[in-house]
Amino acid sequence: MKSVVTILSSGAFALLLAATAAVLPARAETPAGPLVTTEWLEKNIDDPTLRVVEVSVEPGLFERGHIPNAQNIVWHTDLVDTVRRDIASREDFQALVRKLGIDKDKTVILYGDNNNWFAAWGAWIFDTYGIDAKLLDGGRKKWEAEKRPLSTRAATVAASTIALPEANAAIRARLADVISVVDGKSDTALVDIRSADEYSGKLFSAPGSQELAIRAGHVPGAKNVTWSKAVAEDGTIRPVEELKKLYADAGIDGSKPIIVYCRIGERSSHTWFVLSKVLGYDVRNYDGSWTEYGNTVGLPISNPAGTVWGVK
């Protein structure tokens, strides 16, 4: 009789486990590589091990509708030091990721508007503090174009107790690093990812930008590969072989370290992500970028357009 009860009890327990498994969402098998597709994310959106975070530049966009279960980061307050021109401190960023419920067992997926400009900036900051975040390939643009679900409900997650390391200086370039390249003391490739008109000096800044330099042009020796050339029409990052050719045609093949820059470091974060995460090159992001270099007294520039700054 005892053996029969044991068998029945074992069988009942197995049924209970099966029923519980059917109710609880299964943990997703995280795709290898730095990108996830919109199809994969929608299929696994309820996985409790995912932390989906929007980093957009347009105010109010998240509140009007976002990917279900996503949380929001405001790039110009959450990811930067609001007093000093610097990235968020370890203490401030640690408080943020704890609030987002991120720990070593969670998979972080970032997305945003403008073909993931600021989501890539977010990925760079996350990486700086030791968190390997993935990008949703195509960002909001592709998600919305495919008419995938949006929500206005705020996600609620339990806070984590993650402890972050100090910032990793190996993926960030400073003004002194760029000057070393200009002076021929460092065998490093410089990549200016701004538009051709900004690079040539025809424009001092991208239209609508508030951050200006009093000189136009580019860092001497820098190659110009506009960030958007790495993006397909649907907002996704181009295939690896196409990317390799794109940059190799400009003399950037990963054979030596690379420093990327733009105006304030946000667009160059996108190229940093493409070159470092997708292609595996050794890349640093110079977030001081042209507004620091172009405004620094005594530094040489290249200005093929010959423009001179002035006011009326």
Side-chain angles (χ1 to χ4, degrees), residues 204-205 216:
F204 280 83
S205 183

Side-chain angles (χ1 to χ4, degrees), residues 34 108-110 122-123 126-127 131-135 273 277:
V108 180
I109 299 172
L110 305 179
F126 271 83
D127 199 298
I131 299 174
D132 186 23
K134 297 177 182 290
L135 286 186
F273 189 91
K277 298 295 186 178

Side-chain angles (χ1 to χ4, degrees), residues 150-202:
L150 294 173
S151 172
T152 56
R153 294 181 60 184
T156 56
V157 299
S160 77
T161 58
I162 191 171
L164 299 182
E166 294 296 332
N168 176 15
I171 61 172
R172 187 184 191 189
R174 301 286 191 157
L175 177 62
D177 300 315
V178 178
I179 294 174
S180 181
V181 179
V182 174
D183 289 344
K185 298 176 181 178
S186 173
D187 187 20
T188 300
L190 293 173
V191 181
D192 184 322
I193 65 77
R194 298 174 299 162
S195 68
D197 283 346
E198 290 172 272
Y199 175 80
S200 71
K202 183 177 179 180

Side-chain angles (χ1 to χ4, degrees), residues 6-277:
T6 302
I7 292 171
L8 289 175
S9 298
S10 300
F13 183 66
L15 289 173
L16 179 61
L17 286 178
T20 303
V23 173
L24 294 175
R27 177 166 183 158
E29 183 177 346
T30 306
L35 301 168
V36 299
T37 65
T38 53
E39 179 182 13
W40 181 90
L41 183 55
E42 183 177 6
K43 180 180 178 181
N44 295 284
I45 198 65
D46 292 321
D47 181 350
T49 68
L50 297 184
R51 290 293 180 266
V52 182
V53 181
E54 177 163 342
V55 193
S56 289
V57 64
E58 182 181 336
L61 190 61
F62 177 85
E63 290 75 12
R64 293 197 295 272
H66 52 264
I67 294 176
N69 296 333
Q71 301 179 81
N72 192 39
I73 284 179
V74 180
W75 79 270
H76 61 279
T77 55
D78 291 332
L79 298 179
V80 303
D81 187 308
T82 56
V83 176
R84 303 170 54 166
R85 185 183 173 183
D86 207 344
I87 63 173
S89 68
R90 185 187 70 85
E91 292 75 18
D92 287 346
F93 191 68
Q94 180 173 272
L96 174 66
V97 297
R98 285 180 175 181
K99 180 182 176 182
L100 296 171
I102 294 169
D103 58 34
K104 63 182 179 61
D105 296 321
K106 302 298 188 295
T107 297
V108 180
I109 299 172
L110 305 179
Y111 77 95
D113 59 359
N114 280 10
N115 290 323
N116 280 336
W117 267 15
F118 286 91
W121 167 274
W124 177 63
I125 302 294
F126 271 83
D127 199 298
T128 296
Y129 288 111
I131 299 174
D132 186 23
K134 297 177 182 290
L135 286 186
L136 173 64
D137 203 11
R140 277 194 73 112
K141 178 179 180 179
K142 193 169 192 290
W143 187 274
E144 292 179 348
E146 295 170 344
K147 302 189 184 306
R148 298 188 186 274
L150 294 173
S151 172
T152 56
R153 294 181 60 184
T156 56
V157 299
S160 77
T161 58
I162 191 171
L164 299 182
E166 294 296 332
N168 176 15
I171 61 172
R172 187 184 191 189
R174 301 286 191 157
L175 177 62
D177 300 315
V178 178
I179 294 174
S180 181
V181 179
V182 174
D183 289 344
K185 298 176 181 178
S186 173
D187 187 20
T188 300
L190 293 173
V191 181
D192 184 322
I193 65 77
R194 298 174 299 162
S195 68
D197 283 346
E198 290 172 272
Y199 175 80
S200 71
K202 183 177 179 180
L203 292 179
F204 280 83
S205 183
S209 300
Q210 296 179 349
E211 304 87 356
L212 299 174
I214 61 172
R215 298 187 296 175
H218 61 268
V219 179
K223 306 295 184 181
N224 184 216
V225 184
T226 304
W227 75 273
S228 58
K229 291 181 179 180
V231 179
E233 182 63 30
D234 64 355
T236 57
I237 292 175
R238 294 189 182 278
V240 168
E241 291 309 313
E242 290 185 22
L243 293 172
K244 286 183 177 179
K245 184 178 187 307
L246 170 67
Y247 292 103
D249 286 348
I252 309 300
D253 60 5
S255 59
K256 59 184 178 180
I258 302 165
I259 293 176
V260 294
Y261 75 91
C262 58
R263 188 181 83 258
I264 59 172
E266 89 292 14
R267 285 176 289 175
S268 56
S269 295
H270 190 281
T271 299
W272 167 83
F273 189 91
V274 169
L275 290 174
S276 65
K277 298 295 186 178

